[in-house]
């Protein structure tokens, strides 16, 4: 039997009755698009974060895209972010015609090195886009200070940080807007695609609602400004409403898995995750580091254990972004990490016996 990096089937078995009831609730409601389930989820997700507004959209990529547009970011504007992220972060910047500008990450926790932001500023910089990577937050005190000093918008990429905190503040509550993904693997995952944007700005909220619905505001067929078809699905919204009540339990389960790894893998030579000062880690993925990555992954695959790499190719090295002009060595920490990081199985319903199998195999291979 293969042990996978992520598996939803045990969680589904435990929650099956509630999930199927969510589907039945929507199918029998008489309204399948932008109905009570989307409205309810938006209100509850906003309330969980203490935010004024939540706008449900079709996926996490479009959450970033629409948020950038709602914040007034467009062609020629520069957005400072990181290359050690999933490509959709950067694809969204490109989609609005803006230019991604990369800063390196910190070696100790793989998060945006905020000490490098000011050197990357130009007269075209309009937005800072920190990525709360792997389940913990960027130093948002530093990001907020720089943004305030230079008049920049702040958009948090929270796709991997549901339930994470920085000095007590939830991810998604520390900028002008925050984009979330509810892809099934996420800490709060749907049973398909989904996304949302949080904001406490009423005008940003109004723009987002217009942008996700073709650019229409009050009357169908009347386009106020060109928009998209990016609505959160009613079924996914209702499932997310049910799962939102279990979000804190999901995070607690992930932290328990992380503690077991930390205890079991001590002394193996693996560089284990380090939680940054002031952070409360949600452990979306459990990323370790070792110079013999390929050997370790091959050995565990032979034992039926599937590992993953998040991410093996920094965005600035991809051929699709060659036009940005980044050369090898431009982001040395990011590039070094890409050759050594690997992700271990991580999800709340991971059985202790399977986790112990992973730990024992790693101790044997790394020892």
């Amino acid at each position: 039997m293969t042990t996978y990096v992520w598996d939803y089937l045990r969680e589904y078995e435990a929650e099956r009755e509630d999930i199927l009831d969510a589907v039945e609730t929507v199918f029998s409601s008489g309204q399948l698009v932008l109905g009570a389930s989307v409205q309810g989820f938006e209100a509850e997700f906003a309330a969980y974060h203490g935010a004024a507004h939540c706008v449900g959209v079709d996926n996490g990529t479009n959450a970033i895209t629409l948020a950038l547009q709602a914040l007034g970011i467009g062609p020629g504007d520069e957005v400072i972010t990181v290359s050690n992220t999933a490509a959709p972060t950067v694809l969204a910047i490109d989609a609005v015609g803006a230019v991604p500008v990369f800063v390196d990450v910190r070696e100790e926790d793989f998060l945006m090195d905020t000490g490098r932001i000011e050197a990357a500023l130009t007269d075209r910089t309009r937005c800072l886009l920190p990525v709360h990577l792997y389940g913990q937050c960027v130093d948002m005190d530093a990001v907020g200070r720089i943004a305030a000093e230079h008049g920049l918008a702040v958009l948090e990429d929270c796709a991997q940080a549901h339930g994470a905190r920085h000095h007590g503040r939830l991810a998604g509550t520390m900028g002008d807007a925050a984009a979330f993904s509810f892809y099934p693997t996420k800490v709060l995952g749907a049973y398909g695609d989904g996304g949302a944007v949080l904001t406490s700005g009423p005008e940003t909220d109004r723009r987002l609602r217009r942008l996700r619905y073709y650019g229409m505001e009050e009357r169908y067929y009347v386009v106020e400004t060109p928009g998209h078809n990016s609505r959160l699905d009613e079924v996914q919204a209702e499932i997310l409403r049910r799962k939102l009540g279990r979000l804190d339990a999901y995070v607690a389960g992930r932290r328990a898995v992380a503690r077991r790894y930390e205890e079991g893998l001590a002394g193996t030579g693996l560089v284990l995750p380090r939680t940054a000062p002031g952070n409360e880690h949600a452990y979306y993925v459990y990323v370790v580091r070792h110079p013999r990555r390929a050997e370790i992954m091959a050995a565990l695959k032979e034992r039926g254990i599937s590992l993953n790499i998040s991410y093996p190719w920094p965005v600035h090295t991809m051929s699709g972004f060659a036009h940005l002009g980044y050369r090898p060595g431009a982001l040395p920490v990011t590039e070094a990490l890409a050759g050594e990081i690997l992700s271990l199985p991580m999800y709340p319903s991971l059985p202790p016996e399977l986790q112990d199998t992973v730990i024992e195999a790693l101790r044997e291979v790394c020892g």
Side-chain angles (χ1 to χ4, degrees):
M1 182 178 69
T2 300
T3 300
Y4 294 102
V5 170
W6 175 79
D7 188 338
Y8 75 94
L9 292 175
R10 288 181 178 83
E11 180 182 286
Y12 174 64
E13 188 59 33
E15 301 179 358
R16 182 175 184 273
E17 185 175 336
D18 196 28
I19 299 302
L20 295 182
D21 183 67
V23 176
E24 173 61 23
T25 295
V26 173
F27 285 179
S28 61
S29 70
Q31 190 168 9
L32 298 177
V33 178
L34 291 183
S37 292
V38 168
Q39 293 169 17
F41 174 71
E42 289 176 338
E44 291 156 18
F45 196 64
Y48 176 87
H49 290 87
H53 309 285
C54 171
V55 179
V57 298
D58 53 344
N59 57 65
T61 308
N62 283 338
I64 302 174
T65 302
L66 270 62
L68 287 169
Q69 287 186 279
L71 292 171
I73 309 303
D77 293 339
E78 292 181 351
V79 178
I80 295 178
T81 190
V82 293
S83 181
N84 181 33
T85 184
T89 303
V90 184
L91 289 168
I93 297 170
D94 183 75
V96 302
V99 180
V101 175
F102 300 117
V103 296
D104 214 344
V105 297
R106 304 191 303 197
E107 190 159 9
E108 61 269 25
D109 54 27
F110 316 156
L111 297 169
M112 174 185 272
D113 187 343
T114 57
R116 298 181 179 275
I117 292 175
E118 290 187 285
L121 297 174
T122 73
D123 59 4
R124 295 199 299 163
T125 306
R126 296 290 179 271
C127 181
L128 305 181
L129 205 170
V131 179
H132 299 320
L133 195 70
Y134 301 153
Q136 67 170 327
C137 298
V138 172
D139 180 358
M140 292 302 294
D141 296 323
V143 170
R145 175 184 58 78
I146 295 167
E149 288 179 2
H150 297 276
L152 307 174
V154 176
L155 171 59
E156 299 175 68
D157 182 342
C158 300
Q160 301 185 11
H162 310 74
R165 292 179 183 267
H166 179 65
H167 294 300
R169 298 173 295 174
L170 278 165
T173 65
M174 296 173 279
D176 297 291
F180 288 81
S181 168
F182 304 121
Y183 187 74
T185 62
K186 304 302 184 184
V187 179
L188 179 62
Y191 278 67
D193 268 318
V197 182
L198 289 180
T199 183
S200 289
E203 180 58 25
T204 303
D205 173 65
R206 190 175 71 85
R207 291 174 181 169
L208 284 164
R209 294 185 186 281
R210 189 170 61 220
L211 284 165
R212 76 165 175 190
Y213 193 61
Y214 307 110
M216 302 172 187
E217 191 162 342
E218 295 182 357
R219 291 181 295 170
Y220 191 57
Y221 297 126
V222 178
V223 174
E224 304 288 338
T225 184
H228 310 265
N229 178 7
S230 297
R231 301 165 296 207
L232 177 61
D233 179 75
E234 275 286 293
V235 172
Q236 301 303 338
E238 186 61 33
I239 291 172
L240 288 165
R241 291 184 76 181
R242 311 298 180 93
K243 296 187 71 176
L244 178 59
R246 298 187 281 271
L247 175 55
D248 291 343
Y250 295 151
V251 173
R254 289 173 179 272
R255 288 174 178 158
V257 172
R259 285 193 298 271
R260 196 179 190 94
Y261 276 138
E262 185 173 13
E263 294 168 2
L265 296 174
T268 59
L270 290 165
V271 178
L272 304 181
R274 184 183 302 178
T275 301
N279 275 354
E280 297 174 41
H281 209 311
Y283 293 102
Y284 166 58
V285 284
Y286 193 88
V287 176
V288 300
R289 184 178 181 184
H290 199 285
R292 294 191 289 113
R293 180 179 68 192
E295 177 187 334
I296 292 169
M297 294 185 70
L300 264 67
K301 186 175 182 180
E302 290 179 358
R303 291 163 170 79
I305 300 170
S306 174
L307 305 182
N308 193 28
I309 304 173
S310 300
Y311 301 92
W313 299 286
V315 177
H316 74 283
T317 68
M318 297 178 183
S319 60
F321 294 101
H323 63 282
L324 296 176
Y326 287 86
R327 303 290 185 186
L331 302 171
V333 178
T334 296
E335 292 167 31
L337 292 174
E340 296 186 355
I341 53 176
L342 61 153
S343 305
L344 309 187
M346 169 56 77
Y347 48 96
S349 57
L350 178 65
E353 60 271 20
L354 287 186
Q355 189 178 5
D356 287 343
T357 298
V358 175
I359 291 170
E360 290 166 12
L362 284 168
R363 293 195 68 85
E364 179 183 338
V365 171
C366 296

